[in-house]
Amino acid sequence: MSLSATRLTCYALLSAIEEDLRLRIEFALYGIPLEEVLGEERLSSSTDRLSRDQGTVSTPSLADLLPYVDFADSFEILNSAAKKLEPREAEFIKGKTGLLQKLIPVRNRVAHTRPLDFDDLPTVLDVVKQFSKSPDIDTPRCDQVLAELERDPSFVLGLEIRFSDVPADSTVRHNLPIPDFDETGFVGRKSNVRSLIRTMRGPYPVISLVGDGGIGKTSLALKAAYEILDSPDSPFDAIVWTTAKNSLLTSGEIKRIQGAVKDSLGLLRVAAEELGGKGANADPMREVLEYMQHFKVLLILDNLETVLDARLREFLRELPNGSKVLITSRIGVGAMEIPIRVEPLEKGEAVSLLRSLSKIRNVQALQNVSPEVIDGIVDKTSAHPLYIKWFVSVVQSGRRPEDALRSGLLLDYCMSNVYEFISETGKLVLRSMQSLAGAHNQAELAYLNELDVKQLQAAVLELITTNFVLMRTVKAGNAVVTEYELSEFALNYLEKHHPVSEEEQRWLQERNAGLFAYGEQIALKSTRDRYDANSLDVRGAKDFSVAAKLLEALSLIYRRETGIALEIIQDAQELSPDYHECFRVEAMARVASHNLHGANSAFEKALELNSDGSALNWFYGRFLINDFGQPQSGLKYLQRAATLDPASSTIRIEIAKTHQQMGNGEQARDVCLSLLKSPETAPEIKSRVLEIYVKSAMSEAGKLYGGGEHAACLEILEEIKDSLESLPGVTVDDLVRDRVNYARSLSRGVRLKTSDKYIGQAATQINISLARWLGVSSNEGADRSYGTVKMLQSERGFGFVRPADGGQDVFFHATDFRPVEEFKQVREGSEISYQKIMKSGKSRAVEVWLVER
């Protein structure tokens, strides 16, 4: 077993301080009975260990037994015997007990060949130096070892690690190798180790660590495996390590490993031999599965990408319950695994690794450089562990640091055995990402490469599993947006070995520019009128390609080809599942095909993604009001939209119309009046608002008049008069003028029916003011009446209207409408105005105008 200089140095220092502590015990407690020095329990355990190691010793001495006493017991014995020591020595040992306790876990890792932590060697060295330098205690062995390390650090390579008091290794059978990070200890990634252990203890039969070559997958797997091995509740009876690593990166070249496993059969044969011995049968896969059936085995398959084949996938599919497989690979296995991506180190961890390696290897060119220079080196290595180790090796060999950073050797090593696995479609997508830098979503990549959804998704999955492409998610409102980008290593490797031709680059760039120009037009239209159903809320350039699909779908919806439109919308949703407009346009298609519940579900999905979109709240509110029969709920969404976009008069007009529809006349008028009085409301908007306001006010005034509440009716009529007089220059249409005439009719009716002189005078004044506003005499238009269509015979061309001010129903005929074509728009409940005449002794409506459909 090959041990690192770091582990052997730790052993030399730990052995030295143990020997010095034992010498102090022998010197201070010489001649005292063993039972009194050690106590019964320590005496018994140390005697048993001595017997197992050397055979039975009839009368062992204190010197014979002390090497078999636990390390922690040695300084506890000295503390208990403080009165036998010099006062300064006793005080020193008592004060350093905390430091000595820190050595216990380090000693266990060294003794049991467990992975060292990053600060193990510095911790041991610091304690030994404090003992050696102190004038209060005699430490000859510590002094000697420190001197030898100063003179010739390589002397430790001749040592054999052996602690007499250390019991046998874990009962869990294993063949785990000593990690290649032994030199520096395991740097950082504590949360990654905890997460991996939780996953290995979970229900998942196959777990994979995927990432670039040299990113630290093997180190992470070994660290977690050793932690599980030493856990008192380890879930495994055996841990078996096999590797298919076939190359080694040195400072000058990539070396092929002779005798490396070349296929999955070889890998499983190694596992079978580890589990059952050299007599493994001709079918190692079946033998390994049989062992894993009867025992709980953790099988670790390292560097799997070099032997990934159908046989291995079959093996993974047949894993029995209880046993598990942990994979390290540059390429994911597929759907049967729980993949865990291994990322580069945090910057602080990478800096620590670089400085530690430089110090351990005594690389003078790197030891005295400034923190700024170290940070720059780490940035250029992308905090990649292998890159940092290789960089230090190259500088150690005598090359300049800047030359090491420019070398492409590491790229070749990290990306070798990977590119050849990629399909032609995957390589097509890679070239588009090479040509157009930055992150891309699926929709962009599908458009650029002229691929359908299924082809694109298969290619993206392939590129993620081969670690050429990184997948990142970012928060965008309520949605999580997924984007894809070439890893830095992949980009450098592709530029060096597989550059994109100028012709293909030009084609991709022109296609991208065309999409961008079209997308800007879409975005501009949305800016002009976001509440137009044909406008699309575009979050940025990454939505352009999907927005183009949605516009095509909208065109099909208006042509009543909703089936084809829904197919396009479904593609858009698969390409950009985080884009709310995909679901809003789906809702429009569902409405067009009379699937209102489907439309409601689509709107709800859109709002989950973008609850703060004023336009989306607006569209959903109008759907609930106009199509789904839930005006109260719809009103809430319109009010939400108004809160999000308080400057929009469009939303407030719709709120007023909804109040009017629901019979909330006062609320409708309040909304309208706030718009009419606002100096920020444009004149053309005020014209639209005025129509809603006058209609709502007159509807309420007519009800009050019909109910005999003349004073209340007159208050509303006066409000109308005041509002009209405050709007000079606002254009009004015939419908508004007609309703104002209706107001005059009601004011005349109030004057005639009231016995209150004051109310009568007020009614007369309102009539005069409204006539003046209309530009007519106070008597003109007095014969026009208003009412609601009660009964309609469309086929026969006639109906009856119920007057707003009460009285008998009045007959009307289609030929009496102005224009006649308006009769086609009449429905029961429509409001009309008319002149009433008597013909053959019966009332008849002529000069009929449709006021509200």
Side-chain angles (χ1 to χ4, degrees), residues 638-675:
L638 291 180
Q639 291 168 334
R640 165 80 172 154
T643 302
L644 293 166
D645 186 7
S648 171
S649 56
T650 302
I651 299 174
R652 294 164 72 185
I653 290 173
E654 195 68 24
I655 289 173
K657 289 169 66 176
T658 303
H659 276 306
Q660 185 185 60
Q661 177 183 328
M662 294 171 62
N664 304 330
E666 186 176 353
Q667 291 93 325
R669 296 199 308 277
D670 286 344
V671 175
C672 290
L673 287 172
S674 67
L675 282 166

Side-chain angles (χ1 to χ4, degrees), residues 687-731:
S687 295
R688 290 172 54 197
V689 175
L690 186 61
E691 180 181 335
I692 300 168
Y693 167 71
V694 173
K695 176 188 175 182
S696 179
M698 287 310 304
S699 176
E700 185 69 16
K703 291 176 185 176
L704 292 170
Y705 180 84
E709 299 181 52
H710 298 142
C713 173
L714 206 62
E715 286 181 11
I716 294 180
L717 296 179
E718 188 165 16
E719 179 188 284
I720 294 171
K721 173 187 75 75
D722 293 340
S723 299
L724 293 170
E725 290 176 345
S726 68
L727 297 170
V730 174
T731 304

Side-chain angles (χ1 to χ4, degrees), residues 322-339:
S323 290
K324 300 190 178 184
V325 172
L326 174 63
I327 292 166
T328 75
S329 178
R330 303 178 195 181
I331 305 168
V333 176
M336 64 187 71
E337 65 182 330
I338 293 296

Side-chain angles (χ1 to χ4, degrees), residues 276-307:
K278 295 292 183 180
N281 64 34
D283 188 353
M285 186 178 90
R286 290 295 153 198
E287 181 162 346
V288 172
L289 286 172
E290 187 175 345
Y291 276 112
M292 297 179 88
Q293 177 73 41
H294 291 91
F295 302 97
K296 293 180 179 179
V297 177
L298 172 62
L299 176 60
I300 303 175
L301 305 177
D302 183 43
N303 281 88
L304 192 67
E305 72 276 350
T306 59
V307 297

Side-chain angles (χ1 to χ4, degrees), residues 229-455:
L229 180 70
D230 291 333
S231 173
D233 61 341
S234 174
F236 302 109
D237 301 316
I239 299 178
V240 178
W241 174 274
T242 62
T243 183
K245 188 172 184 178
N246 62 8
S247 61
L248 183 68
L249 180 66
T250 70
S251 62
E253 61 179 332
I254 299 173
K255 287 186 176 180
R256 291 291 165 184
I257 298 175
Q258 295 297 319
V261 172
K262 295 181 180 179
D263 55 26
S264 64
L265 191 64
L267 199 67
L268 293 171
R269 181 171 287 112
V270 171
E273 290 176 354
E274 289 293 340
L275 286 165
K278 295 292 183 180
N281 64 34
D283 188 353
M285 186 178 90
R286 290 295 153 198
E287 181 162 346
V288 172
L289 286 172
E290 187 175 345
Y291 276 112
M292 297 179 88
Q293 177 73 41
H294 291 91
F295 302 97
K296 293 180 179 179
V297 177
L298 172 62
L299 176 60
I300 303 175
L301 305 177
D302 183 43
N303 281 88
L304 192 67
E305 72 276 350
T306 59
V307 297
L308 193 57
D309 55 30
R311 184 190 295 107
L312 190 66
R313 290 189 171 90
E314 179 186 354
F315 168 75
L316 295 176
R317 279 193 293 269
E318 295 187 25
L319 284 178
N321 290 334
S323 290
K324 300 190 178 184
V325 172
L326 174 63
I327 292 166
T328 75
S329 178
R330 303 178 195 181
I331 305 168
V333 176
M336 64 187 71
E337 65 182 330
I338 293 296
I340 300 173
R341 180 161 186 82
V342 182
E343 302 287 353
L345 295 170
E346 297 290 334
K347 187 168 184 178
E349 297 169 350
V351 168
S352 297
L353 175 61
L354 178 57
R355 287 199 176 278
S356 179
L357 275 171
S358 303
K359 184 176 181 180
I360 290 169
R361 297 184 183 181
N362 196 29
V363 183
Q364 295 295 328
L366 298 174
Q367 286 193 45
N368 299 318
V369 297
S370 67
E372 293 75 18
V373 172
I374 291 292
D375 284 350
I377 293 171
V378 166
D379 288 340
K380 289 178 180 177
T381 62
S382 301
H384 193 294
L386 179 63
Y387 201 161
I388 292 170
K389 292 179 182 179
W390 177 78
F391 169 78
V392 173
S393 298
V394 172
V395 176
Q396 185 179 16
S397 69
R399 295 172 63 183
R400 295 185 306 171
E402 55 268 32
D403 294 335
L405 292 171
R406 283 197 296 266
S407 174
L409 188 62
L410 183 73
L411 284 176
D412 296 346
Y413 175 79
C414 291
M415 308 313 292
S416 61
N417 300 323
V418 177
Y419 187 80
E420 61 189 85
F421 285 94
I422 300 174
S423 67
E424 289 306 313
T425 304
K427 290 173 182 176
L428 179 70
V429 175
L430 279 180
R431 291 197 296 275
S432 67
M433 297 179 80
Q434 279 179 263
S435 301
L436 301 167
H440 305 271
N441 60 23
Q442 287 192 31
E444 288 179 286
L445 294 173
Y447 172 83
L448 290 170
N449 294 285
E450 298 180 314
L451 298 173
D452 63 33
V453 179
K454 301 301 181 188
Q455 290 174 314

Side-chain angles (χ1 to χ4, degrees), residues 42-66:
R42 290 192 190 112
L43 178 59
S44 175
S45 61
S46 58
T47 301
D48 289 343
R49 291 170 184 169
L50 173 63
S51 299
R52 284 196 300 268
D53 192 25
Q54 299 184 17
T56 303
V57 179
S58 56
T59 54
S61 65
L62 181 60
D64 293 330
L65 292 175
L66 282 177

Side-chain angles (χ1 to χ4, degrees), residues 459-499:
V460 167
L461 178 61
E462 178 184 32
L463 295 175
I464 291 172
T465 58
T466 54
N467 295 298
F468 269 81
V469 168
L470 304 176
M471 182 175 73
R472 292 191 174 91
T473 54
V474 294
K475 199 83 167 62
N478 296 348
V480 175
V481 179
T482 303
E483 296 179 344
Y484 306 90
E485 188 173 11
L486 286 175
S487 68
E488 187 173 347
F489 269 33
L491 181 59
N492 292 336
Y493 172 80
L494 290 169
E495 289 299 313
K496 179 182 177 183
H497 296 284
H498 306 282

